[in-house]
Amino acid sequence: MATIALGLPATISLTRDHVRRGRRVKNQVATIGVVSVFTLALLPLVSVLWTVLTRGLARFDGEFFTNSMRGVLGEGGGAIHAITGTALITGATVIMSVPIGLLTAIYLVEYGKGPFARAVTFLVDVMTGIPSIVAGLFAYAVFSMILGPGVRSGVAGAIALTLLMTPVVIRSCEEMLRLVPQDLREASYALGVSKHRTIRKIVLPTAMSGIVSGVMIGIARVVGETAPLLLVAGFTDSMNTNLFSDRMSTLPVFIYSQWANKGVNAAAYDNRAWTAALVLIAFVLSLNLLSRLVARVFSPKVSR
Amino acid sequence: MTATALKTHSLSAYYGDFLAVADVSMTIDQRSITALIGPSGCGKSTFLRTLNRMHEVIPHARVTGEITLAGENLYDPGVDPVLVRQRIGMVFQRPNPFPTMSIRDNVLAGVKLQRSRLPRSEADDVVEQSLRSANLWIEVRDRLGKPGAGLSGGQQQRLCIARAIAVQPDILLMDEPCSALDPISTLAIEELMLELKSTYTVVIVTHNMQQAARVSDKTGFFNLAAVREPGRLVEYADTTTMFSKPKKKETADYIAGRFG
């Protein structure tokens, strides 16, 4: 009796092979589709990395990292002046844009209400879309107005880059601060902790890993900028460590000028450009790795 | 005659234009446990949050009426809500230890963030005393430097209680402190509440009528006439009276499980 009652009709048997086969085929088609699209997207990246690596290694030597291009017309020479310039200008950019960006994000998340906050958000969105050459022209115009036409300096470049980096920092910090659970703020208020201390001691440390990686993304965004720097920081063959006077070379501009103004020995100029590109990529890559490391140090601890 | 810890006078709480709790006047006895019960959405949690001015943390939320603590109106314009919350602590429904801090730093968070310096020996005392009061000391004394988020749910909730009592408040508000916990952790917290009432005034919101009956000295029953109507305090009496012979039919129906 029991077996009859439990006996299932063959049509709804648990092993309906044709249904299983259909599902398996769909699964395989989808897997192949996803993998091939992913490979297609990866192809240019791998190709770029490979080309830069193979061509850039030719001049990846001591001379490249110790010499400038002062008085070099053919082979030899280096990019130390451009590496220094990139480090100085990027550093100045970070010093200017991180405080402005972080404080704006704190304002928007913790204090901002009403039309003013909405206006700030809107302007940040607009700033995110500024073409970099426009930021360069802005910095050029500002410095021309104050110091006379044609003035070029590292700090002008840093101001142009700050214009580009600040909205990126604001956006990512804002997102990270919004991710901090409201529970934690309330827990802190309920302990009789004031709002500014809650932000400083609870909200910021909790969001710190995200903020750090946001800043790193911002740096990666501006470190490869060429157009605004070509315009306002200019180009020089010599070392310049003073942000506030004279032209200052940077890696992207160095790459451009090596490629654009080849001398008699064209191969030497090409090789230097490739090596500079390699250095730039390695710099961005190591920033990414560093941000992951920093994020891990700062991230909330949950392990036992 | 027990002393009064806190007294509300025609207290109403709003979210924007919506009146969530209307006209509550009640007296909370010192060193006792007062339970607030009622169906979901009746405003008992909102009312609890008005007691230490946490209600106004929510945008557009506001309060009318009076709450007196030792003769002082908490809603006086000159009163600093930060100082109110230092005297009236709160434990939340979901355990919320600070994820970036160790167990020790979690306990010290309130003390350290209120005033800047605390000598190490004094800090050690605060940590041990608070964790002992929260019945957590023996379980965590070997791993005070470990992250607070690594504890079990019940331990995290007791850590939050330790954190709340480390700042030595007069009153401790608990917003459904056991609703996210298993029965054994719930029992631990209930035992803890009974110990705490010798030092603190405890006000607890609970969905669990048995819990109210087990731990509280007085019980207040909140209810609302209909959805979108404000919650009101229907009846407030000694817990034994409330559960044996409530005056109002509404209360009797709720306690008997006929609605809610």
Side-chain angles (χ1 to χ4, degrees), chain B residues 16-42:
Chain B
D17 292 330
F18 174 62
L19 177 62
V21 181
D23 197 27
V24 176
S25 298
M26 73 189 291
T27 306
I28 290 159
D29 294 338
Q30 211 164 40
R31 302 219 170 96
S32 72
I33 298 177
T34 305
L36 307 176
I37 59 171
S40 298
C42 69

Side-chain angles (χ1 to χ4, degrees), chain A residues 183-184 186-194 197 201-202 205-206 300-304, chain B residues 49 54 57 82 85-86 90 92 94 96-101 112-114 147 150 163:
Chain A
D183 284 13
L184 293 183
E186 291 204 342
S188 177
Y189 295 152
L191 288 171
V193 179
S194 59
R197 278 191 158 235
K201 303 282 185 169
I202 306 293
T206 308
K301 293 141 189 82
V302 278
S303 63
R304 269 166 202 252
Chain B
R49 289 169 63 94
M54 281 296 287
V57 168
V82 171
R85 293 176 204 136
Q86 290 184 5
M90 190 163 204
F92 296 84
R94 277 211 322 235
N96 51 5
F98 298 127
T100 50
M101 294 185 188
K112 271 192 174 166
L113 296 183
Q114 277 176 22
R163 181 177 70 185

Side-chain angles (χ1 to χ4, degrees), chain B:
Chain B
M1 180 74 193
T2 41
T4 299
L6 206 62
K7 198 170 178 175
T8 75
H9 182 68
S10 52
L11 189 94
S12 300
Y14 296 82
Y15 293 101
D17 292 330
F18 174 62
L19 177 62
V21 181
D23 197 27
V24 176
S25 298
M26 73 189 291
T27 306
I28 290 159
D29 294 338
Q30 211 164 40
R31 302 219 170 96
S32 72
I33 298 177
T34 305
L36 307 176
I37 59 171
S40 298
C42 69
K44 54 195 189 303
S45 287
T46 303
F47 172 73
L48 190 80
R49 289 169 63 94
T50 64
L51 297 181
N52 67 342
R53 297 194 59 169
M54 281 296 287
H55 178 61
E56 65 206 53
V57 168
I58 298 162
H60 309 298
R62 63 200 168 83
V63 172
T64 61
E66 271 184 22
I67 299 178
T68 42
L69 171 77
E72 220 181 332
N73 179 13
L74 299 185
Y75 282 94
D76 227 40
V79 169
D80 182 0
V82 171
L83 296 177
V84 171
R85 293 176 204 136
Q86 290 184 5
R87 294 185 57 185
I88 309 179
M90 190 163 204
V91 175
F92 296 84
Q93 186 171 355
R94 277 211 322 235
N96 51 5
F98 298 127
T100 50
M101 294 185 188
S102 66
I103 293 171
R104 183 189 148 88
D105 287 343
N106 259 290
V107 176
L108 290 173
V111 189
K112 271 192 174 166
L113 296 183
Q114 277 176 22
R115 53 193 176 108
S116 40
R117 289 277 168 268
L118 189 70
R120 191 177 167 88
S121 60
E122 207 179 308
D124 287 340
D125 286 348
V126 170
V127 171
E128 182 170 348
Q129 279 311 314
S130 310
L131 285 172
R132 273 190 197 285
S133 308
N135 287 339
L136 192 61
W137 174 249
I138 295 171
E139 288 156 72
V140 301
R141 64 179 166 197
D142 302 323
R143 45 174 171 151
L144 292 174
K146 295 277 167 60
L151 298 170
S152 75
Q155 288 172 324
Q156 284 188 23
Q157 192 63 300
R158 278 179 283 151
L159 178 61
C160 291
I161 294 174
R163 181 177 70 185
I165 58 187
V167 297
Q168 297 183 310
D170 304 324
I171 302 170
L172 205 54
L173 309 177
M174 297 185 168
D175 189 359
E176 298 181 38
C178 302
S179 61
L181 303 181
D182 64 277
I184 292 171
S185 305
T186 301
L187 188 69
I189 303 260
E190 285 180 9
E191 280 172 358
L192 174 58
M193 280 191 267
L194 292 171
E195 287 168 31
L196 290 176
K197 78 168 181 176
S198 61
T199 334
Y200 304 95
T201 304
V202 178
V203 184
I204 174 180
V205 162
T206 177
H207 258 124
N208 181 333
M209 275 178 285
Q210 285 73 33
Q211 185 171 55
R214 278 194 299 265
V215 299
S216 70
D217 300 297
K218 277 192 164 183
T219 300
F221 170 58
F222 281 75
N223 199 6
L224 68 178
V227 179
R228 302 299 293 175
E229 290 286 306
R232 288 171 196 281
L233 178 64
V234 175
E235 193 167 350
Y236 180 49
D238 283 344
T239 300
T240 41
T241 320
M242 281 289 272
F243 282 89
S244 55
K245 37 184 184 303
K247 283 201 189 72
K248 302 247 171 83
K249 187 174 175 299
E250 235 176 309
T251 318
D253 286 350
Y254 181 72
I255 285 167
R258 276 192 280 276
F259 78 96

Side-chain angles (χ1 to χ4, degrees), chain A residues 160-231:
Chain A
L161 294 188
T162 301
L163 234 57
L164 297 170
M165 182 168 165
T166 307
V168 179
V169 174
I170 295 175
R171 270 272 163 266
S172 55
C173 288
E174 200 186 338
E175 234 159 81
M176 290 305 143
L177 292 176
R178 283 195 205 284
L179 279 180
V180 175
Q182 198 59 31
D183 284 13
L184 293 183
R185 293 189 183 87
E186 291 204 342
S188 177
Y189 295 152
L191 288 171
V193 179
S194 59
K195 185 164 182 171
H196 83 271
R197 278 191 158 235
T198 300
I199 293 169
R200 257 173 43 211
K201 303 282 185 169
I202 306 293
V203 177
L204 283 182
T206 308
M208 191 48 85
S209 66
I211 290 172
V212 170
S213 45
V215 170
M216 296 292 179
I217 292 168
I219 294 175
R221 160 90 171 75
V222 298
V223 80
E225 278 299 340
T226 319
L229 293 176
L230 197 59
L231 209 61

Side-chain angles (χ1 to χ4, degrees), chain A residues 16-28:
Chain A
R16 280 183 298 169
D17 284 337
H18 61 288
V19 175
R20 272 205 321 188
R21 209 175 306 125
R23 199 182 292 150
R24 202 182 303 146
V25 168
K26 271 186 210 156
N27 186 23
Q28 263 159 7

